[in-house]
Amino acid sequence: MQGGIHRRTESAILEGTKSLIALHGVSNISMIDIADASEVSRATLYNHYRDKNAVLEALITLEVEKLVDLAQRAGTPADALETLSKVISADPALSAMRQHDAQLLIAIMSHAENPLYLVLATCIYEATKSEAGTGLAMRWLLGQVMQPITPKQSREQAELLVERTLF
């Protein structure tokens, strides 16, 4: 029972944090804001996360896990890439970060040695079965973090990557 409560509390904290980021960016929120938005006490927040960076790390991990799950359920490689593209391009938290925290976003994206980068790259490799294709697809998706594209462009470009370039 306690494990379920712990997971629900962490889920509330991460959802509250993402909502705050979507409104204000990362640099404009505090642990107090996160506690308030998550509807948990400050003590509870600090029992789960030592500081804002720990909350952000957990949120990024959760977001990458969601992306991997979506890609694995998408079907074809083009479907997987299209799904990832649409989610990345439409994400309200990334949109706010482009506006408020561009340098932080660039720093986060430029760490290819990050284990989460490898998790997502492995997921794309499983869909594409191509090392070169995986590298190209990762760069295409990372580009959309800073310059989102439309759903139509997501489909067209994903199909082009798969049909004419990668495989």
Side-chain angles (χ1 to χ4, degrees), residues 26-157:
V26 172
S27 57
N28 298 320
I29 62 173
S30 67
M31 287 293 274
I32 294 169
D33 297 328
I34 292 170
D36 291 346
S38 306
E39 299 181 358
V40 299
S41 70
R42 293 176 195 164
T44 298
L45 176 59
Y46 281 103
N47 281 335
H48 288 268
Y49 300 102
R50 71 185 173 284
D51 57 21
K52 187 168 85 170
N53 286 337
V55 177
L56 295 174
E57 189 174 307
L59 179 59
I60 292 168
T61 299
L62 178 66
E63 292 298 307
V64 168
E65 288 171 357
K66 286 179 182 178
L67 288 173
V68 167
D69 183 56
L70 287 170
Q72 289 174 336
R73 291 188 285 122
T76 69
D79 292 340
L81 292 176
E82 176 188 10
T83 298
L84 293 172
S85 174
K86 285 179 176 179
V87 170
I88 289 168
S89 288
D91 189 276
L94 289 175
S95 177
M97 288 182 71
R98 281 191 294 276
Q99 181 180 355
H100 300 288
D101 305 294
Q103 293 303 316
L104 174 62
L105 201 50
I106 290 167
I108 291 169
M109 293 185 330
S110 64
H111 292 304
E113 70 277 358
N114 185 307
L116 294 173
Y117 183 96
L118 296 175
V119 167
L120 191 55
T122 300
C123 169
I124 291 172
Y125 179 79
E126 288 171 3
T128 64
K129 304 295 188 233
S130 164
E131 284 183 36
T134 297
L136 187 58
M138 287 294 290
R139 284 166 187 77
W140 174 66
L141 292 169
L142 287 173
Q144 292 171 52
V145 170
M146 293 308 287
Q147 284 196 308
I149 61 177
T150 67
K152 182 180 181 210
Q153 290 170 321
S154 292
R155 183 70 206 170
E156 291 169 350
Q157 291 178 19

Side-chain angles (χ1 to χ4, degrees), residues 130 132-133 136-137 157-167:
S130 164
L136 187 58
Q157 291 178 19
E159 286 176 349
L160 284 173
L161 281 170
V162 171
E163 293 171 8
R164 298 191 187 156
T165 309
L166 303 178
F167 318 100

